[in-house]
Amino acid sequence: MMIGEVAEKTGFSVHTLRYYEKIGLLPETLRDAGGRRVYGPDVLVWLEFVERLKQIGMPIRDRVRYAEMRAQGDSTISARRELLQTYRDDLAKRVASLSETLDVLDAKIATYETAAKCNGASR
Amino acid sequence: MMIGEVAEKTGFSVHTLRYYEKIGLLPETLRDAGGRRVYGPDVLVWLEFVERLKQIGMPIRDRVRYAEMRAQGDSTISARRELLQTYRDDLAKRVASLSETLDVLDAKIATYETAAKCNGASR
DNA sequence: CCTTGACCTAGAGTACACTCTATCACCTAG
DNA sequence: CTAGGTGATAGAGTGTACTCTAGGTCAAGG
């Protein structure tokens, strides 16, 4: 796979993919004779996971840290577990809080609908 | 209430509160004889809601837009409802996706624990 | 051959949302 | 009456995470 295809499949832009490689979030890839990056299919799985880490609000620095540990192999497993655990617990709280906000929004929207109806009826 | 007290009660910094006023996210407040802002208790309720809008990822521009509509009164109710509805629907999707990610993380953490145990047993 | 399009690098620029600095005014307690 | 704390303004600076530009290489199709 060339970089354009990876971009298309993952939703990251070509620029972003090169940027991710530069900061160490993606491993350095093989190059073809012309110096162009050639990716294996594994990168898609990894990028999908990175996208998840991004969506839970893990800052890029920690994503890089995680990527570096992953590259170092099994010796970093417990550190990786701890890192994920921290974000997992945080995420659980955030999901709870967001669910609550969902209810608040629904209530607010409901009052707006009532208000609109009353206006409509009275005029 | 002076600005410091509002900051303490809401968790926003004094700087941020003044910034919010400048961009229109907070209404201009009354001032005392010395030119200092004097807030009523309502501002706490509003700021709590603003905080929620922030946490669901509404960009500050839309928060300001919402604040401006609110200040304009009842004529903007349906526009406000629409704006909230958009973010509500988005939020519902995000909550679902984050719950999924929570499962992914739990699974990952579980495999790390298994890996650690196996290593531990073999050594 | 030459154009088109995908790729390359290094590095500058952007958007967002604050966050801080410098410098000043005012009030209260010691 | 002065020191400390809180308030004020305008505007500069920061951190995060991209995003884009300039200037170039390379392979394939017309």
Side-chain angles (χ1 to χ4, degrees), chain A residues 2-15 17 44:
Chain A
M2 296 281 103
I3 200 169
E5 198 179 341
V6 176
E8 203 191 332
K9 284 187 177 159
T10 60
F12 290 106
S13 77
V14 170
H15 286 307
L17 291 173
L44 301 180

Side-chain angles (χ1 to χ4, degrees), chain A residues 48 52 56 91 95, chain B residues 93-107:
Chain A
E48 195 192 340
R52 278 194 190 277
I56 67 172
L91 176 59
V95 168
Chain B
K93 275 180 212 138
R94 198 129 43 79
V95 167
S97 158
L98 289 179
S99 299
E100 207 183 289
T101 298
L102 199 56
D103 292 342
V104 170
L105 286 184
D106 281 339

Side-chain angles (χ1 to χ4, degrees), chain A residues 20 54 59-61 63:
Chain A
Y20 277 1
K54 177 182 165 182
I60 208 161
R61 216 174 316 146
R63 267 141 55 205

Side-chain angles (χ1 to χ4, degrees), chain B residues 22-107:
Chain B
K22 190 161 71 180
I23 64 172
L25 192 50
L26 284 177
E28 296 197 5
T29 24
L30 294 170
R31 304 299 182 102
D32 70 7
R36 288 172 306 195
R37 293 170 179 81
V38 179
Y39 296 89
D42 291 6
V43 80
L44 300 179
V45 179
W46 171 238
L47 281 170
E48 195 192 340
F49 187 62
V50 167
E51 173 64 24
R52 278 195 189 279
L53 295 182
K54 176 182 164 180
Q55 273 170 1
I56 67 173
M58 185 189 285
I60 207 162
R61 218 173 314 146
D62 278 353
R63 264 138 62 204
V64 170
R65 214 152 69 76
Y66 183 83
E68 282 165 354
M69 290 196 290
R70 205 177 80 111
Q72 274 174 46
D74 288 356
S75 65
T76 61
I77 280 183
S78 78
R80 275 185 271 165
R81 192 196 51 70
E82 269 172 51
L83 186 60
L84 287 193
Q85 186 74 53
T86 305
Y87 281 100
R88 190 226 96 97
D89 293 347
D90 213 69
L91 175 58
K93 275 180 212 138
R94 198 129 43 79
V95 167
S97 158
L98 289 179
S99 299
E100 207 183 289
T101 298
L102 199 56
D103 292 342
V104 170
L105 286 184
D106 281 339

Side-chain angles (χ1 to χ4, degrees), chain A residues 35-47:
Chain A
R36 286 172 306 193
R37 293 170 181 81
V38 179
Y39 295 89
D42 290 5
V43 80
L44 301 180
V45 179
W46 170 239
L47 281 170

Side-chain angles (χ1 to χ4, degrees), chain A residues 2-115:
Chain A
M2 296 281 103
I3 200 169
E5 198 179 341
V6 176
E8 203 191 332
K9 284 187 177 159
T10 60
F12 290 106
S13 77
V14 170
H15 286 307
T16 301
L17 291 173
R18 286 196 282 249
Y19 165 68
Y20 277 1
E21 182 178 319
K22 190 162 68 179
I23 65 172
L25 192 49
L26 284 177
E28 297 197 6
T29 26
L30 294 170
R31 304 298 183 103
D32 69 7
R36 286 172 306 193
R37 293 170 181 81
V38 179
Y39 295 89
D42 290 5
V43 80
L44 301 180
V45 179
W46 170 239
L47 281 170
E48 195 192 340
F49 188 62
V50 167
E51 173 63 24
R52 278 194 190 277
L53 296 182
K54 177 182 165 182
Q55 273 170 1
I56 67 172
M58 185 188 282
I60 208 161
R61 216 174 316 146
D62 278 353
R63 267 141 55 205
V64 170
R65 213 152 69 77
Y66 183 83
E68 281 164 355
M69 289 195 292
R70 206 178 78 112
Q72 274 172 49
D74 287 356
S75 65
T76 62
I77 280 183
S78 78
R80 275 185 271 165
R81 193 197 50 71
E82 268 172 51
L83 187 60
L84 288 193
Q85 187 74 52
T86 305
Y87 281 99
R88 190 228 95 98
D89 293 347
D90 214 69
L91 176 59
K93 276 180 212 138
R94 198 130 42 80
V95 168
S97 158
L98 290 178
S99 300
E100 207 182 289
T101 297
L102 199 55
D103 292 342
V104 170
L105 286 184
D106 281 339
K108 198 112 188 166
I109 289 167
T111 70
Y112 280 157
E113 265 154 16
T114 309

